[in-house]
Amino acid sequence: MAPSKKSKKNVESMNSRLKLVMKSGKAILGYKSGLKGLRTGKSKMVLIASNCPPLRKSEVEYLAMLAKVQVHHYSGDNTALGTACGKMFNCSVVSIIDAGDSDILAKQD
């Protein structure tokens, strides 16, 4: 069964917001540096890929909860998340420091 229009639109919307963040704002790609950004309090939002290992995912969620940072579970896998960031490699965690011109930090529906 094909994905519904609404879910496809949400993915495209998130991809375009993420692209704008990478162009005009600041973001950290990667698990280790993402955790460092959470610990230091620089991160404002964290995106986690759907195929991120459960232990890693729970650790990122826990640190985000302590830092009072939004967590968004990206619907695509780590390859799709890396591509959405405009990189040619996989990335399971993206930490947004400065949104720039994007409205990605606005409350998600």
Side-chain angles (χ1 to χ4, degrees), residues 12 29 48 56 89 95:
E12 287 173 2
L29 278 73
I48 305 173
R56 207 173 256 206
F89 49 82
S95 180

PDB file of all heavy atoms in Angstrom, residues 12 29 48 56 89 95:
ATOM      1  N   GLU A  12       8.185  15.707   2.995  1.00  0.00           N
ATOM      2  CA  GLU A  12       8.718  16.730   2.092  1.00  0.00           C
ATOM      3  C   GLU A  12       8.877  18.062   2.813  1.00  0.00           C
ATOM      4  O   GLU A  12       9.859  18.775   2.617  1.00  0.00           O
ATOM      5  CB  GLU A  12       7.810  16.889   0.871  1.00  0.00           C
ATOM      6  CG  GLU A  12       7.911  15.727  -0.094  1.00  0.00           C
ATOM      7  CD  GLU A  12       6.895  15.805  -1.216  1.00  0.00           C
ATOM      8  OE1 GLU A  12       6.122  16.784  -1.271  1.00  0.00           O
ATOM      9  OE2 GLU A  12       6.889  14.889  -2.050  1.00  0.00           O
ATOM     10  N   LEU A  29      25.927  17.099  12.586  1.00  0.00           N
ATOM     11  CA  LEU A  29      25.568  15.771  12.126  1.00  0.00           C
ATOM     12  C   LEU A  29      26.394  14.744  12.874  1.00  0.00           C
ATOM     13  O   LEU A  29      27.594  14.933  13.047  1.00  0.00           O
ATOM     14  CB  LEU A  29      25.829  15.628  10.628  1.00  0.00           C
ATOM     15  CG  LEU A  29      24.761  16.182   9.693  1.00  0.00           C
ATOM     16  CD1 LEU A  29      24.790  17.673   9.674  1.00  0.00           C
ATOM     17  CD2 LEU A  29      24.954  15.638   8.319  1.00  0.00           C
ATOM     18  N   ILE A  48      16.176  12.199  14.989  1.00  0.00           N
ATOM     19  CA  ILE A  48      16.693  10.842  15.072  1.00  0.00           C
ATOM     20  C   ILE A  48      16.113  10.030  13.920  1.00  0.00           C
ATOM     21  O   ILE A  48      14.900  10.029  13.715  1.00  0.00           O
ATOM     22  CB  ILE A  48      16.315  10.186  16.418  1.00  0.00           C
ATOM     23  CG1 ILE A  48      16.793  11.044  17.584  1.00  0.00           C
ATOM     24  CG2 ILE A  48      16.890   8.797  16.513  1.00  0.00           C
ATOM     25  CD1 ILE A  48      16.320  10.569  18.932  1.00  0.00           C
ATOM     26  N   ARG A  56      20.938   3.581  21.465  1.00  0.00           N
ATOM     27  CA  ARG A  56      21.422   4.904  21.068  1.00  0.00           C
ATOM     28  C   ARG A  56      20.267   5.917  21.077  1.00  0.00           C
ATOM     29  O   ARG A  56      20.416   7.037  21.552  1.00  0.00           O
ATOM     30  CB  ARG A  56      22.006   4.789  19.665  1.00  0.00           C
ATOM     31  CG  ARG A  56      23.062   5.781  19.341  1.00  0.00           C
ATOM     32  CD  ARG A  56      23.682   5.456  18.011  1.00  0.00           C
ATOM     33  NE  ARG A  56      24.979   4.854  18.213  1.00  0.00           N
ATOM     34  CZ  ARG A  56      25.952   4.905  17.333  1.00  0.00           C
ATOM     35  NH1 ARG A  56      25.767   5.485  16.176  1.00  0.00           N
ATOM     36  NH2 ARG A  56      27.112   4.364  17.581  1.00  0.00           N
ATOM     37  N   PHE A  89      26.491  10.952   2.844  1.00  0.00           N
ATOM     38  CA  PHE A  89      26.739   9.852   3.762  1.00  0.00           C
ATOM     39  C   PHE A  89      25.571   9.694   4.730  1.00  0.00           C
ATOM     40  O   PHE A  89      24.725  10.572   4.846  1.00  0.00           O
ATOM     41  CB  PHE A  89      28.054  10.044   4.540  1.00  0.00           C
ATOM     42  CG  PHE A  89      28.213  11.406   5.159  1.00  0.00           C
ATOM     43  CD1 PHE A  89      27.625  11.728   6.376  1.00  0.00           C
ATOM     44  CD2 PHE A  89      28.968  12.367   4.522  1.00  0.00           C
ATOM     45  CE1 PHE A  89      27.787  12.973   6.946  1.00  0.00           C
ATOM     46  CE2 PHE A  89      29.137  13.627   5.081  1.00  0.00           C
ATOM     47  CZ  PHE A  89      28.540  13.925   6.299  1.00  0.00           C
ATOM     48  N   SER A  95      21.631  17.320  15.156  1.00  0.00           N
ATOM     49  CA  SER A  95      21.351  18.247  16.244  1.00  0.00           C
ATOM     50  C   SER A  95      21.344  19.666  15.683  1.00  0.00           C
ATOM     51  O   SER A  95      22.340  20.103  15.105  1.00  0.00           O
ATOM     52  CB  SER A  95      22.420  18.091  17.318  1.00  0.00           C
ATOM     53  OG  SER A  95      22.193  18.967  18.371  1.00  0.00           O
TER      54      SER A  95
END
